[in-house]
Amino acid sequence: MGRVKPQNLMARMEHHQIGLYLVAILLGGVLGFLAPGSAGALEHSINPVLGLLLFATFLGIPFASIGTAAKDLKFMGTILVLNFVVVPWVVFGLTRFIAGDQALLLGVLLVLLTPCIDYVIVFTGLAGGASERLLAAAPVLMLLQMLLLPVYLLLFIGPEVVSAIDPEPFIRALVVLILIPLAAAALTQALARKAAAGRGLMALMQGLMVPLMMATLAVVVGSQISGVARELGSLLVLVPIYAAFLLVMVPLGMLVAKPARLDVAATRAAVFSGATRNSLVVLPLALALPEPLALAALVVLTQTLIELLGMVLFVRFLPRIIRTPPLPQAA
């Protein structure tokens, strides 16, 4: 039997990536249940694995043409309004049901107020959306959510809870998970324009995207699944909130995109951006919260599990909702 070429293996993994992500979640859950003592080691693995995943993701950002992407005013304006004006109102309304529980409320706010900048690009591409436009917008989305999240928390949960949060882990996460991978990606792209080593590294990281996403999902779920099982009664109330968020963001995303007259691919990308949240990036922030708010980390993980199932449905059904117009019939 002939050996499978690396290029063919990568192509197969990309073709079956949704199924592979679900397998990774399952394997992480099984490991977490069967070996609960591994939770600490897995939790310490989250940041390194996530940093590599974000480095690989950022390598796809066209830094050389970032100015052109910033001039894509219709698309950029649509996703900024959707994520930072419309979404906060939706989140405020949905969280009134849990407003009396500070840990639940803080976890939901952390995750639902922060738009995704990593696997949303993959799912958008699978649904025929303008993934390259979302990729170019990723640094802007990341910067704005870090600046605006403290403001939203002050408005929605009050200064007494926000004052109990140590800003140091947030700053560390911004530097380690965002700024360093972003700078490394920009330098690697610059090197790739001049040297084969840079091009080789970019090709390697592109090939590792699916395995890195699988590893990230597995260690996140494996490190937290025992806690989810212990707090299942408290967390079940979040399922309808997260499901409702996914459902309502489809018509709202289409509505916000309509005045900009975005094409079909860009409209699908806008809907994905509004519905998909930055759970993997905010999880380390939630893990750093003080003990009275420690449940927030499990709240974030619960959103990840619900969202990934939702993304599978989005990939299948969103192209049927936001359809490519039929070609005109020849006379």
Side-chain angles (χ1 to χ4, degrees), residues 54-144:
L54 291 173
F55 169 58
T57 301
F58 291 152
L59 278 174
I61 296 175
F63 290 100
S65 58
I66 200 72
T68 304
K71 294 175 184 176
D72 190 359
L73 296 180
K74 287 185 177 181
F75 180 74
M76 189 72 75
T78 297
I79 62 170
L80 293 184
V81 169
L82 186 61
N83 281 296
F84 300 114
V85 178
V86 175
V87 164
W89 282 106
V90 173
V91 173
F92 179 78
L94 290 175
T95 54
R96 295 312 86 199
F97 303 103
I98 56 169
D101 189 316
Q102 289 185 336
L104 285 181
L105 178 60
L106 180 57
V108 173
L109 293 177
L110 279 174
V111 69
L112 290 189
L113 291 170
T114 50
C116 185
I117 49 93
D118 40 63
Y119 62 56
V120 64
I121 296 161
V122 173
F123 287 116
T124 299
L126 291 173
S131 55
E132 73 287 349
R133 296 167 86 171
L134 270 186
L135 190 59
V140 178
L141 288 173
M142 191 66 233
L143 177 62
L144 282 178

Side-chain angles (χ1 to χ4, degrees), residues 3-67:
R3 294 173 58 187
V4 177
K5 294 182 179 180
Q7 297 91 333
N8 294 338
L9 179 60
M10 293 176 199
R12 290 182 187 179
M13 293 186 75
E14 288 182 2
H15 182 71
H16 298 289
Q17 58 190 293
I18 293 179
L20 291 172
Y21 297 157
L22 295 176
V23 169
I25 290 173
L26 180 62
L27 290 177
V30 170
L31 177 61
F33 276 125
L34 296 182
S38 65
L42 290 173
E43 188 171 310
H44 283 102
S45 302
I46 292 174
N47 277 2
V49 175
L50 182 56
L52 281 174
L53 173 65
L54 291 173
F55 169 58
T57 301
F58 291 152
L59 278 174
I61 296 175
F63 290 100
S65 58
I66 200 72

